[in-house]
Amino acid sequence: MSMEVMKFGGTSVGTVSRMQEVASLVTASSKPTFVVLSAMSGTTNALIEIADYLYKKNPEGANEVINKLEAKYLQHAQDLYSTEEYKLKTKAFLLKEFEYLRSFTKDLFTSFEEKNIVAQGEIMSTNMVVNYLKEKGVKAILLNALDFMRTDKNGEPDLEFIKTELGKIMEHHQGFQIYMTQGFICRNAYGEVDNLLRGGSDYTASLIGVALSASEIQIWTDIDGMHNNDPRVVKKTEALHQLNFEEAAELAYFGAKILHPTCIQPAKYAGIPVRLKNTMEPEAEGTIIDNTIIKGKIKAVAAKDNITAVKIKSSRMLLATGFLRKVFEIFESYQTPIDMITTSEVGVSMSIDSEVHLNEIVNELKKYGTVSVDHDMCIVCVVGDLDWKNLGFEALVLEAMKSISVRMISYGGSNYNISFLINAQDKQRALQQLSDVLFQHQ
Ligand code: ADP
Ligand code: ASP
Ligand code: MG
């Protein structure tokens, strides 16, 4: 019998009543369920702040954050449980956790220690919720993600390892109603504690869903599904009831924060539907992500920030055999992925989302032509069934963008996305205008 995987984000486990609500949602069905939890909202940021103080050799600063966090967690445990037994048990566990965090304020500090600190948020939230379930008499077990979540030498999830190890663990622990684990955290190929980057709990849920051949992967968050535009930027966005895997993957990659950028891929390959639900409003329909395509429908708009455009012009060499390969190799050698690319007879423009190696990249590109760079840009992308044989969508999208300066346009890489590179300062206006033109009559 295949299970459902339910993942709850930081806000969904952010207070005592939210944790109690999560407990009732996961036990709503009597079937065994696999639950993935994030850290309580604000905790991962606080842990990163502690690490920052320690990098800067400021243990007093770190201790101040640790003390505040400890007081909050102990009060939380006091309020969450109704029995002395569970209050005491959980407080003892938390005190050990904070003792562990304090142990880092004395030693040498590297990224290895930082990863261990940042992992404690998910370790604490899962312990607290599983104890709450046990107090309520639910047959629940906490599985340690560090025993089976693993990345390979390229930093990519090692799905074979995850499948095998989680398979063995599940085999050993049959008969539970709730199997719970930490999102986000994992070990790397060398066995060290690591993580799947910010927002990575969605990715954990999707990888576990695939490893267990789950019937559905549910991402429970603080909004009623994927909206047709960024609700933090645009007024009157609306929830979408259905998205195709490709559409959801494009939206996640291009900035729709509700999903981690790569979490749709494993589910897409395994054909497991992903459902987005609102913990604060469980009766709301949410969004189902599956293989269905709604012909010709433009679904949503998203924006990716902190983009840099790099242009190389070379009248001599451009489009000569091997030129693009040389250009791409430079980006590859600095592990800087290219998001958008456009070519003309005299130049190539590319966009990247990291300036960490920009100087080196530009210096190497200069061997092949004149290089120019534009900073503070953003990619706005329109997603839907944009098959090239469909008529009219390009005109509609351009109509919405007519008063915005556009640095690059990209279409044709997929049937699901048309992207524009614009100045960051025009983002709000571009997103609002796209919503006004594309969705007002739908
Ligand atoms: P969680 O902590 O549950 O993982 P996140 O904060 O990562 O939640 O993601 C949910 C948030 O994503 C929403 O509160 C919303 O502000 C933001 N968001 C950005 N774009 C979209 C979108 N297109 N649809 C829905 N939510 C979006
Ligand atoms: N707690 C981690 C973060 O804040 C992972 C997650 O919530 O998905 O990024
Ligand atoms: Mg998230």
Side-chain angles (χ1 to χ4, degrees):
M1 180 187 58
S2 63
M3 295 171 111
E4 279 181 359
V5 174
M6 299 173 85
K7 175 260 168 179
F8 294 85
T11 320
S12 304
V13 292
T15 62
V16 167
S17 56
R18 293 265 75 93
M19 280 194 179
Q20 291 167 342
E21 177 66 17
V22 164
S24 83
L25 286 169
V26 299
T27 49
S29 116
S30 55
K31 283 196 274 173
T33 303
F34 202 106
V35 180
V36 175
L37 299 185
S38 288
M40 291 174 72
S41 54
T43 298
T44 307
N45 285 346
L47 295 170
I48 289 172
E49 200 185 342
I50 293 167
D52 281 345
Y53 276 123
L54 295 175
Y55 272 123
K56 291 178 189 141
K57 304 208 181 323
N58 181 350
E60 292 79 26
N63 272 321
E64 214 172 288
V65 184
I66 294 174
N67 292 344
K68 246 200 242 157
L69 208 57
E70 183 179 46
K72 176 180 146 179
Y73 271 78
L74 291 174
Q75 185 62 48
H76 189 93
Q78 174 66 27
D79 299 341
L80 180 59
Y81 307 99
S82 48
T83 59
E84 275 315 304
E85 182 197 346
Y86 276 90
K87 284 183 205 274
L88 285 175
K89 195 195 239 175
T90 310
K91 282 186 196 170
F93 159 77
L94 290 172
L95 287 169
K96 269 205 197 127
E97 277 289 303
F98 284 95
E99 202 179 302
Y100 178 62
L101 288 179
R102 283 193 188 91
S103 73
F104 291 100
T105 59
K106 293 167 193 95
D107 297 321
L108 175 79
F109 201 75
T110 67
S111 75
F112 176 81
E113 280 77 23
E114 178 183 6
K115 300 274 175 58
N116 277 285
I117 288 187
V118 169
Q120 302 314 310
E122 271 70 12
I123 291 177
M124 292 196 285
S125 64
T126 46
N127 248 284
M128 290 190 294
V129 176
V130 94
N131 278 350
Y132 180 74
L133 286 166
K134 285 181 183 168
E135 187 186 45
K136 291 270 158 258
V138 178
K139 206 156 181 256
I141 183 169
L142 178 55
L143 307 178
N144 186 351
L146 299 178
D147 292 340
F148 60 90
M149 290 303 295
R150 175 127 161 183
T151 53
D152 62 20
K153 288 199 169 117
N154 301 317
E156 300 292 333
D158 186 342
L159 194 51
E160 276 315 303
F161 180 94
I162 298 170
K163 239 184 219 167
T164 315
E165 294 307 308
L166 183 56
K168 281 191 224 158
I169 292 169
M170 297 297 284
E171 189 68 37
H172 260 87
H173 298 286
Q174 291 185 19
F176 285 87
Q177 188 187 347
I178 299 295
Y179 295 84
M180 184 173 292
T181 198
Q182 304 87 7
F184 180 55
I185 65 174
C186 62
R187 288 188 191 274
N188 63 19
Y190 311 99
E192 297 160 348
V193 173
D194 205 340
N195 60 63
L196 299 171
L197 304 181
R198 295 306 304 269
S201 297
D202 301 337
Y203 205 12
T204 305
S206 146
L207 292 163
I208 288 176
V210 174
L212 296 177
S213 300
S215 53
E216 188 168 289
I217 298 160
Q218 298 180 352
I219 308 284
W220 288 77
T221 181
D222 57 3
I223 188 164
D224 54 347
M226 179 74 79
H227 278 219
N228 58 8
N229 209 326
D230 191 331
R232 296 165 301 177
V233 181
V234 168
K235 285 179 246 131
K236 294 198 194 138
T237 59
E238 276 173 21
L240 295 161
H241 299 315
Q242 187 274 341
L243 280 171
N244 176 266
F245 283 121
E246 308 277 353
E247 294 167 339
E250 301 269 11
L251 287 168
Y253 186 76
F254 286 107
K257 192 194 170 218
I258 186 170
L259 286 173
H260 178 276
T262 51
C263 83
I264 291 298
Q265 274 146 18
K268 178 176 84 181
Y269 289 119
I272 301 173
V274 177
R275 194 183 293 275
L276 310 180
K277 292 283 285 178
N278 190 351
T279 315
M280 329 296 157
E281 217 188 311
E283 57 299 330
E285 185 177 338
T287 306
I288 182 81
I289 301 167
D290 56 21
N291 273 316
T292 314
I293 292 179
I294 303 182
K295 270 283 181 222
K297 189 168 163 75
I298 297 181
K299 294 283 187 59
V301 177
K304 187 172 177 183
D305 300 321
N306 300 318
I307 305 293
T308 306
V310 180
K311 175 150 78 183
I312 169 159
K313 277 170 72 175
S314 165
S315 50
R316 274 182 307 118
M317 301 186 65
L318 197 88
L319 302 187
T321 321
F323 177 76
L324 284 177
R325 177 174 48 76
K326 285 183 196 130
V327 169
F328 291 158
E329 273 172 3
I330 294 173
F331 285 89
E332 193 188 338
S333 66
Y334 291 102
Q335 295 189 338
T336 303
I338 297 168
D339 278 336
M340 277 174 82
I341 172 155
T342 54
T343 62
S344 81
E345 203 191 328
V346 291
V348 188
S349 272
M350 287 147 294
S351 80
I352 54 177
D353 65 4
S354 161
E355 293 197 358
V356 176
H357 297 294
L358 183 62
N359 288 341
E360 294 107 305
I361 290 170
V362 168
N363 280 336
E364 293 212 27
L365 287 174
K366 278 182 180 162
K367 286 190 229 154
Y368 302 110
T370 315
V371 182
S372 59
V373 175
D374 293 300
H375 303 274
D376 300 324
M377 311 217 68
C378 110
I379 295 174
V380 166
C381 93
V382 176
V383 168
D385 173 36
L386 309 181
D387 191 296
W388 68 277
K389 290 183 178 142
N390 297 350
L391 291 176
F393 66 88
E394 300 93 336
L396 205 57
V397 171
L398 286 171
E399 166 70 19
M401 295 292 287
K402 69 183 176 194
S403 68
I404 309 283
S405 306
V406 174
R407 168 75 179 73
M408 286 167 72
I409 302 179
S410 173
Y411 170 71
S414 88
N415 278 337
Y416 303 94
N417 163 9
I418 176 165
S419 306
F420 297 85
L421 185 68
I422 64 171
N423 276 321
Q425 68 196 41
D426 293 331
K427 167 177 151 176
Q428 199 277 333
R429 214 158 45 89
L431 292 188
Q432 187 66 58
Q433 284 172 201
L434 282 162
S435 259
D436 294 346
V437 170
L438 300 177
F439 307 128
Q440 64 180 348
H441 300 304
Q442 288 195 1

